[in-house]
Amino acid sequence: MNEYTFSILFGVTVGTLSRIYMFRTDYRQYPTYPHGMVIHLALGFIAAALGALVVPSIMEEEFTAVTFLTLAASQFREVRNMERKTLNEMDSLELVPRGASYIEGIAVTFEGRNYLVIFISFVSSLAYLSINLWAACIAAFLAFLVAKKYMTGSRLGEIAEVEQATVSFDGAGLYVDNIYIMNIGIPVRQQEILKHGLGFVINPKNFDARSTIGNLGQRQAILHDLAISLGVYRDSGTPALVPLIKRDLDDGRIGIFILPQNKSADLAMKVISQVPTLENAIRMPTETKEKGSGQS
């Protein structure tokens, strides 16, 4: 062992533990337990080792060793491609699919968390070598808090309000509140919908939120999370029972229609509020500046 051994071991340990914490087993149940976790845990260990080795390499003026980070970046991009491919293949078998935007968000998250592990192990190793073990523990804790902030992202409940609405028919037209959803002309299907259906309305808090929740990928993510959490009263080949989201063109509200197995309105509103706001769905039209503003 040499003077860098303990700093490297500390950085690798902290980085690996942080990657373990980042695993979340929730209603999405992905990655598949346990084999998917083994793959991502191994990649997290590699990322932690890379981060911990950066500081000793710089101190020893072995700058060529740092170039391995570029190789790691290319490998982690392959992780994103692997997740995207896997989820796309799984999505074709879902009764209510995730959608391309949700899948891309999940794939980017798996890549990004490896970079967060590199950051945590790098900061921990640097503090260990520069000061002492206690300073390294504090630095690791602070780095973990920063990583946690960037790990979570925003939720739909932060930009919009969710309320339950009435499901009704006007002739063959299905409505949630006063938002038109689709036409159902078969009386048997209408009775099934009135018996099992739930309706919700999402009210955006501002104009930016109106554009965000109107994104088709964001809407599909809402339907998928609802179907996973509450179940869905349908099978393949029953298009009349497919959950749908439609937009009120006048005020930007979103009407949600779903036929759940668990008909709990409170749970459904909680799930909708916890749906992640997809990065590629976020729009900020109010940030647009007029050309020539402030010019004489």
Side-chain angles (χ1 to χ4, degrees):
M1 294 191 295
N2 57 37
E3 58 183 312
Y4 302 120
T5 301
F6 289 110
S7 69
I8 293 173
L9 289 175
F10 182 79
V12 171
T13 301
V14 170
T16 304
L17 289 175
S18 67
R19 187 66 186 97
I20 293 173
Y21 174 81
M22 292 178 192
F23 283 128
R24 295 295 180 88
T25 301
D26 58 11
Y27 58 88
R28 285 173 291 243
Q29 188 56 44
Y30 191 82
T32 304
Y33 178 85
H35 299 94
M37 284 189 174
V38 172
I39 295 171
H40 288 288
L41 183 60
L43 290 169
F45 175 81
I46 294 170
L50 288 170
L53 288 169
V54 170
V55 179
S57 299
I58 294 175
M59 288 184 171
E60 291 295 322
E61 298 184 354
E62 295 288 344
F63 300 113
T64 54
V66 183
T67 59
F68 278 105
L69 290 175
T70 59
L71 179 61
S74 64
Q75 292 300 313
F76 293 148
R77 278 195 296 272
E78 287 302 314
V79 172
R80 186 204 300 189
N81 294 332
M82 176 187 70
E83 297 304 327
R84 184 191 298 116
K85 180 179 179 182
T86 301
L87 285 169
N88 277 322
E89 292 176 353
M90 292 168 55
D91 213 38
S92 62
L93 303 176
E94 296 278 2
L95 288 174
V96 181
R98 292 178 177 86
S101 297
Y102 205 172
I103 288 174
E104 186 62 27
I106 295 173
V108 170
T109 298
F110 276 108
E111 179 186 3
R113 288 184 179 180
N114 287 315
Y115 298 133
L116 291 177
V117 169
I118 291 177
F119 169 72
I120 292 172
S121 60
F122 168 76
V123 170
S124 304
S125 178
L126 177 62
Y128 191 105
L129 288 173
S130 302
I131 309 177
N132 55 36
L133 174 62
W134 299 112
C137 292
I138 295 173
F141 178 72
L142 294 176
F144 176 76
L145 291 180
V146 173
K148 185 178 179 181
K149 180 180 184 299
Y150 287 99
M151 183 184 74
T152 53
S154 61
R155 303 289 176 179
L156 200 63
E158 298 173 19
I159 64 171
E161 296 177 350
V162 184
E163 60 183 26
Q164 188 176 6
T166 304
V167 176
S168 60
F169 280 95
D170 184 2
L174 172 63
Y175 288 83
V176 171
D177 195 20
N178 62 341
I179 302 174
Y180 173 78
I181 302 298
M182 62 177 171
N183 269 0
I184 302 291
I186 304 174
V188 175
R189 291 298 184 210
Q190 289 185 353
Q191 291 301 318
E192 285 181 327
I193 287 170
L194 292 175
K195 180 180 178 181
H196 300 284
L198 284 178
F200 303 93
V201 172
I202 302 178
N203 298 294
K205 293 182 179 180
N206 52 51
F207 191 76
D208 289 341
R210 181 187 298 188
S211 300
T212 299
I213 66 174
N215 182 273
L216 295 178
Q218 184 66 63
R219 293 195 236 173
Q220 189 61 39
I222 295 170
L223 290 179
H224 175 76
D225 281 6
L226 278 173
I228 291 297
S229 299
L230 303 178
V232 61
Y233 185 81
R234 70 164 300 225
D235 202 351
S236 58
T238 54
L241 304 179
V242 175
L244 286 174
I245 287 187
K246 293 292 185 178
R247 185 183 188 189
D248 189 323
L249 300 180
D250 294 327
D251 56 17
R253 293 181 305 146
I254 299 296
I256 303 174
F257 163 71
I258 185 170
L259 291 157
Q261 295 282 355
N262 178 9
K263 198 175 179 180
S264 172
D266 291 337
L267 177 59
M269 288 190 288
K270 183 178 180 181
V271 170
I272 295 171
S273 297
Q274 292 299 314
V275 172
T277 305
L278 304 183
E279 291 183 7
N280 49 13
I282 295 174
R283 300 290 182 269
M284 295 184 177
T286 58
E287 298 296 320
T288 303
K289 294 180 174 58
E290 294 182 6
K291 292 182 178 180
S293 61
Q295 297 179 359
S296 58

